[in-house]
Amino acid sequence: MYLLAFVGACVLVAMAPGVSTAIILRQTLRAGRGSGMAATLGNETGILLWGLAAAFGLSALLVASQLAYDVMRVVGAVVLVVMGAQALWQARKGAPATEVEGQVVPGLRGPYLAGLGTCLANPKAAVFAMSFLPQFVAPGQNVPVTLATLAVVWVLVDLAWYGLLIWTVAKAKAVLGRPAVRRRLEQISGVVLIGLGVRLAVESR
């Protein structure tokens, strides 16, 4: 029962639009499915690390330290604003196509690091892991082992959702890949990322 409830909650969390969705969609639109999946894997690596940190109590240090939280919040905000500014710049100069005959040109390290960096630089992800995962630990279970297992399940649900999202966007590539449409989408993603960065910078816990 606890596991089913947890999976359902993970699906709802994954479907809620946020920083991860914006990063993954932007990478998919810019460079295809491979880039989108690389960003997804980076994001999920970060989710897994935060989940494991929650399992072993490391996230509690961040939650307890206002200074550490604020530093991460500012760093995360800067990362998002920079990525948003890059998107606006790409839209202005015209983003070149990076797919050749349906195959993504090598260079997936950047999207992976973008997904990983934005997740790890987001202190709210740590706080969320600390408050979200423990709710689904049944009485009498080994807490660290159960939390680590739940973190893995969380990642698997995310991968399934984002994989479906990437597949859907890739299928609409004929329309979304047009230069004018791609330019406008870059503009929108840039504004969204900058907005998320500003919100993260000014928000308190």
Side-chain angles (χ1 to χ4, degrees):
M1 182 64 69
Y2 279 89
L3 182 59
L4 290 177
F6 179 70
V7 171
C10 286
V11 171
L12 295 177
V13 170
M15 292 175 66
V19 174
S20 299
T21 303
I23 296 297
I24 291 167
L25 286 179
R26 178 171 181 258
Q27 294 297 337
T28 303
L29 291 169
R30 289 190 67 198
R33 289 189 296 261
S35 183
M37 284 306 301
T40 300
L41 290 174
N43 181 75
E44 298 315 310
T45 300
I47 291 294
L48 181 60
L49 290 175
W50 281 131
L52 293 176
F56 295 102
L58 300 179
S59 294
L61 299 176
L62 176 62
V63 175
S65 173
Q66 183 65 44
L67 176 60
Y69 183 92
D70 288 340
V71 168
M72 284 196 63
R73 180 168 55 83
V74 172
V75 170
V78 170
V79 169
L80 291 174
V81 170
V82 168
M83 293 184 70
Q86 290 175 340
L88 293 177
W89 175 250
Q90 289 290 341
R92 181 179 180 181
K93 72 176 186 177
T98 54
E99 275 192 63
V100 179
E101 298 179 353
Q103 300 298 320
V104 179
V105 174
L108 300 181
R109 181 181 178 184
Y112 176 85
L113 292 177
L116 176 63
T118 51
C119 183
L120 291 183
N122 184 1
K124 290 187 178 297
V127 175
F128 185 74
M130 281 289 298
S131 60
F132 179 56
L133 296 179
Q135 298 180 47
F136 298 92
V137 178
Q141 290 186 330
N142 184 297
V143 175
V145 172
T146 302
L147 288 176
T149 302
L150 291 176
V152 173
V153 174
W154 186 5
V155 166
L156 293 176
V157 172
D158 268 8
L159 286 173
W161 167 253
Y162 287 126
L164 177 62
L165 188 64
I166 290 168
W167 180 84
T168 302
V169 171
K171 283 295 182 181
K173 190 75 173 177
V175 174
L176 300 178
R178 295 174 182 172
V181 176
R182 288 185 63 187
R183 190 176 303 112
R184 183 53 55 93
L185 290 172
E186 282 280 7
Q187 292 172 340
I188 293 173
S189 66
V191 171
V192 168
L193 289 171
I194 291 174
L196 290 171
V198 171
R199 187 181 72 175
L200 181 61
V202 301
E203 277 186 345
S204 56
R205 288 179 187 252

